[in-house]
Amino acid sequence: MARVAIVTGGTRGIGEAISVALKDMGMQVAANYAGNEERAKAFTERTGIPAYKWDVADHAACQAGVAKVESELGPVDVLVNNAGITRDSTMKRMDHDKWQQVIDTNLGGCFNMAKAVFEGMQTRGYGRVVNIGSINGQAGQYGQVNYAAAKSGIHGFTKALAQEGARSGVTVNAIAPGYIDTDMVAAVPEDVLAKIVAGIPVKRLGQASEIARGVAFLVAEEGGFITGSTLSINGGQHMY
Ligand code: CAA
């Protein structure tokens, strides 16, 4: 039986590349998305991967969304928590909404989705969870107290959940991407981005497929001894 995978934010950017990579591994993939119907429709037409709409920040919607995927495709073996948003601004201009939206989506979304699938994985004795963190959760970033806090939280979440899954064959790992050529990074002001790229040792943005390759590695059947780890894929921008 093909493994069943859910990729949140799976119809665009890094998520799209992950959805395609998992399909290429022979998995049955459900790509979740929150709002962009047009892009989701085009994604399904292009890839043949079904798209499911719900907001990962909404706990009840995650329960219902996972139940729908499981009734159509079967129990979820692989969860990739990729959905994320930015609301960048300096602390001075950051209102409470910008803080809360990013925490609720980027970090709360990981909890909501894991809550819906983790117990089933433990019961069945197999699971792969990959959470997409960020270089900015490791190193911090000017203008991103919300995003850096949420992504840093993801790295702690990963290490804690990995300990709970270990005895039942459920691995939990994180990837910390650097600056990848996506809509999210394209929204950074041009002059700011040029300075950031100049500081990346390989002197270019990463490609979404370069993150997907890391996810494919972590979710492989042979990956049972890799858990609680963080794989940094950032062109050498932050090493530790
Ligand atoms: N370190 C120190 N000072 C900095 C700085 C930095 N990194 N960046 C800006 N400043 C300074 C500026 O030089 C400027 O100083 P002066 O007033 O003395 O000239 C001051 O801070 C204000 O800078 P801005 O004009 O840029 O301020 P702004 O309010 O217009 O914009 C900002 C602030 C929204 C944070 C903008 O700088 C920005 O978008 N920065 C990019 C943030 C970023 O990297 N986001 C990543 C998004 S992609 C992502 O998150 C994916 C991932 O995981 C990697």
Side-chain angles (χ1 to χ4, degrees):
M1 278 282 278
R3 296 288 185 196
V4 174
I6 295 182
V7 181
T8 67
T11 62
R12 298 200 285 141
I14 292 174
E16 170 169 7
I18 295 169
S19 295
V20 170
L22 300 193
K23 185 187 179 208
D24 288 348
M25 288 172 80
M27 294 187 194
Q28 272 200 283
V29 179
N32 151 268
Y33 71 103
N36 196 327
E37 300 276 1
E38 216 173 289
R39 291 282 291 270
K41 199 161 164 268
F43 161 85
T44 297
E45 278 164 14
R46 202 165 50 246
T47 63
I49 299 170
Y52 293 81
K53 185 176 179 179
W54 73 83
D55 177 357
V56 296
D58 180 336
H59 188 77
C62 290
Q63 297 284 330
V66 169
K68 185 167 195 301
V69 170
E70 293 200 322
S71 73
E72 290 175 12
L73 305 182
V76 174
D77 305 297
V78 176
L79 168 65
V80 182
N81 278 317
N82 165 76
I85 58 171
T86 51
R87 296 288 182 269
D88 294 355
S89 71
T90 53
M91 188 64 173
K92 198 171 163 185
R93 279 195 264 265
M94 185 165 298
D95 57 28
H96 186 254
D97 274 357
K98 284 183 179 157
W99 167 262
Q100 204 61 51
Q101 285 168 14
V102 170
I103 297 292
D104 287 350
T105 301
N106 298 13
L107 183 56
C110 289
F111 172 79
N112 294 337
M113 288 303 299
K115 184 73 187 164
V117 302
F118 193 70
E119 210 177 312
M121 289 176 174
Q122 284 182 304
T123 305
R124 292 186 299 276
Y126 182 88
R128 298 279 180 267
V129 179
V130 178
N131 302 313
I132 305 299
S134 168
I135 186 174
N136 294 346
Q138 296 171 310
Q141 170 61 36
Y142 189 100
Q144 282 201 311
V145 294
N146 49 3
Y147 187 89
K151 292 294 188 178
S152 185
I154 285 177
H155 293 299
F157 176 85
T158 299
K159 291 181 226 180
L161 195 62
Q163 295 182 31
E164 295 192 23
R167 269 180 302 166
S168 34
V170 183
T171 67
V172 186
N173 293 287
I175 291 188
Y179 282 73
I180 310 301
D181 191 6
T182 59
D183 293 346
M184 182 183 275
V185 167
V188 174
E190 212 176 329
D191 55 327
V192 177
L193 188 58
K195 277 190 207 145
I196 290 170
V197 174
I200 302 174
V202 304
K203 299 294 175 203
R204 66 169 175 85
L205 295 175
Q207 294 300 312
S209 59
E210 293 175 300
I211 303 303
R213 193 161 168 265
V215 175
F217 171 73
L218 292 171
V219 303
E221 300 279 329
E222 303 87 336
F225 205 59
I226 309 172
T227 197
S229 69
T230 297
L231 178 58
S232 296
I233 305 179
N234 62 30
Q237 193 184 350
H238 180 68
M239 305 181 190
Y240 87 119

